[in-house]
Amino acid sequence: MDSLALFCTGALLAGGLYWFVCILGPAEQKGKRAVDLSGGSISAEKVRDNYKQYWSFFRRPKEIETAEKVPDFVDTFYNLVTDIYEWGWGQSFHFSPSIPGKSHRDATRLHEEMAVDLIDVKPGERIVDVGCGVGGPMRAIAAHSRAKVVGITINEYQVKRARMHNKKAGLDSLCEVVCGNFLEMPFQDNSFDGAYSIEATCHAPKLEDVYAEVFRVLKPGSLFVSYEWVTTDKYRADNPEHVEVIQGIERGDALPGMRSYSDIAESAKKVGFEVVKEKDLAKPPALPWWTRLKMGRIAYWRNHILVTVLAAVGIAPKGTVDVHEMLFKTADYLTRGGDSGIFSPMHMILLRKPEAAASES
């Protein structure tokens, strides 16, 4: 009887561990398991050192304000967080408004499809995803529009992940991924029929620099849509709590500095774009985009326990615990920014490259 009880207890523990790691562990998109967490292109033994290096950028703020330093800063960040993002969030590294009766996954997909609908591309046309991550939006957009999407990301590990996901989804004929800096894109002038960026240009030290590159590679008459991270008209620079929240978001998301909503159109006009439409997609009647962060608090503690155990036994790099804790703190700042209305991750701007640019190029 004792042997039977021992066997049942062991089986129950084994089953619980399997459920905790393998069932709860994978991300929504089933792209990454907890036992496979890594430091991206960083070797396991150097993850903690790179985490410390990431934070050292903020002790030298002048360095993250220059285009020369930003690629290393952002690349380090995405080596540290990409696996955790995939595991705990999914393959689309961005937010979307909640939609009644729709899952977070469906709301995310609709938010992505809206971007390509706005730039009005036709099947077979070539568009660029400026800051594509592991390609979640790219695949949704390619499947929806049948356009050929070329994504660019600074992070080599994300390139590998995106290519793997593209092939697995059967979309590798429509989706191409390039490793490069979106401030110096390796594409010819006037070579794309459209462009979009979903919460990615926030990593540029100067918005006009990345907008100028998009302008250069777009064909005259083509459209570009971007979802920008901004402070809203409710933000007050003399309010200490507002400043704390925005600085917390900047440090936890590798931002050289947060831009004001009022700066976006001006930056676009400086490089030659025409502003077609501008709207904060987070404003009512849109439902809160940060609901998912609030709902994820229990999942965070479950995941944090799991990451701590995996790091302790040597399966996950030890620095992974530090990174996971940083992201939880950042989620709190993001939630406070959304609740107070001082921050939006989806200030949408739709731009056109003038036809007249053809004769000037």
Side-chain angles (χ1 to χ4, degrees):
M1 195 70 178
D2 289 342
S3 298
L4 180 60
L6 187 62
F7 173 80
C8 291
T9 301
L12 187 62
L13 288 172
L17 184 62
Y18 174 81
W19 176 80
F20 196 73
V21 175
C22 298
I23 305 301
L24 289 180
E28 292 181 25
Q29 304 283 347
K30 308 300 180 186
K32 175 62 65 172
R33 298 187 308 158
V35 293
D36 296 327
L37 293 177
S38 73
S41 299
I42 301 170
S43 59
E45 64 274 11
K46 292 184 178 179
V47 168
R48 180 164 282 166
D49 288 342
N50 275 261
Y51 172 76
K52 292 177 181 177
Q53 177 191 349
Y54 171 75
W55 278 102
S56 75
F57 280 104
F58 293 103
R59 291 194 292 273
R60 303 189 301 274
K62 293 294 181 184
E63 293 194 8
I64 60 173
E65 293 174 3
T66 63
E68 293 77 15
K69 296 294 182 181
V70 166
D72 286 343
F73 171 63
V74 175
D75 187 40
T76 297
F77 175 76
Y78 279 111
N79 273 322
L80 292 171
V81 306
T82 291
D83 276 358
I84 294 176
Y85 275 2
E86 271 203 71
W87 172 54
W89 192 261
Q91 295 171 22
S92 294
F93 298 174
H94 65 82
F95 299 106
S96 59
S98 299
I99 301 175
K102 298 287 185 181
S103 66
H104 292 305
R105 185 174 177 177
D106 285 341
T108 296
R109 176 181 53 77
L110 291 169
H111 195 56
E112 293 162 351
E113 290 176 354
M114 181 176 66
V116 74
D117 288 343
L118 283 167
I119 61 174
D120 194 28
V121 295
K122 299 176 179 61
E125 290 189 326
R126 190 166 176 258
I127 60 178
V128 60
D129 180 333
V130 183
C132 65
V134 298
M138 169 192 295
R139 287 181 289 281
I141 283 169
H144 176 67
S145 68
R146 307 311 294 177
K148 293 182 178 179
V149 187
V150 180
I152 183 168
T153 172
I154 193 73
N155 186 262
E156 182 63 46
Y157 181 67
Q158 290 189 337
V159 172
K160 294 176 183 177
R161 295 292 299 169
R163 287 173 177 168
M164 182 273 291
H165 287 308
N166 291 345
K167 187 173 183 180
K168 191 173 181 180
L171 291 166
D172 46 329
S173 63
L174 291 176
C175 298
E176 177 187 346
V177 191
V178 174
C179 188
N181 184 350
F182 60 30
L183 299 175
E184 299 174 345
M185 291 194 281
F187 307 129
Q188 294 182 351
D189 296 357
N190 309 314
S191 56
F192 287 97
D193 300 296
Y196 67 89
S197 182
I198 299 179
E199 301 183 28
T201 56
C202 52
H203 294 301
K206 293 181 180 178
L207 190 59
E208 51 263 40
D209 288 348
V210 63
Y211 277 10
E213 270 295 273
V214 176
F215 187 91
R216 178 183 66 81
V217 303
L218 274 182
K219 295 176 182 178
S222 297
L223 295 167
F224 167 50
V225 66
S226 186
Y227 297 166
E228 297 289 346
W229 282 31
V230 298
T231 54
T232 71
D233 56 356
K234 294 184 178 181
Y235 174 74
R236 296 292 178 266
D238 58 356
N239 183 318
E241 185 177 354
H242 287 191
V243 173
E244 179 196 357
V245 168
I246 296 305
Q247 287 185 347
I249 294 171
E250 291 171 346
R251 293 179 178 183
D253 284 296
L255 306 188
M258 188 80 72
R259 282 176 272 275
S260 167
Y261 76 99
S262 60
D263 296 335
I264 308 304
E266 191 62 33
S267 295
K269 291 173 184 175
K270 278 183 183 178
V271 304
F273 276 119
E274 298 172 349
V275 178
V276 177
K277 187 177 182 181
E278 188 174 15
K279 180 183 180 182
D280 187 349
L281 301 177
K283 287 187 174 181
L287 297 178
W289 54 267
W290 60 94
T291 301
R292 187 177 173 192
L293 290 173
K294 284 186 172 180
M295 292 171 59
R297 289 179 185 274
I298 294 175
Y300 162 77
W301 288 112
R302 179 206 74 200
N303 290 350
H304 198 64
I305 292 169
L306 182 54
V307 168
T308 303
V309 171
L310 292 176
V313 299
I315 295 176
K318 293 189 183 302
T320 306
V321 178
D322 299 319
V323 177
H324 194 259
E325 186 174 358
M326 174 189 76
L327 294 179
F328 175 68
K329 290 179 180 177
T330 306
D332 183 61
Y333 285 122
L334 288 162
T335 300
R336 288 166 62 187
D339 266 332
S340 62
I342 65 171
F343 165 73
S344 172
M346 53 191 71
H347 184 90
M348 184 277 292
I349 188 162
L350 180 63
L351 308 168
R352 177 181 284 110
K353 181 175 179 176
E355 291 284 0
S359 58
E360 298 169 8
S361 58

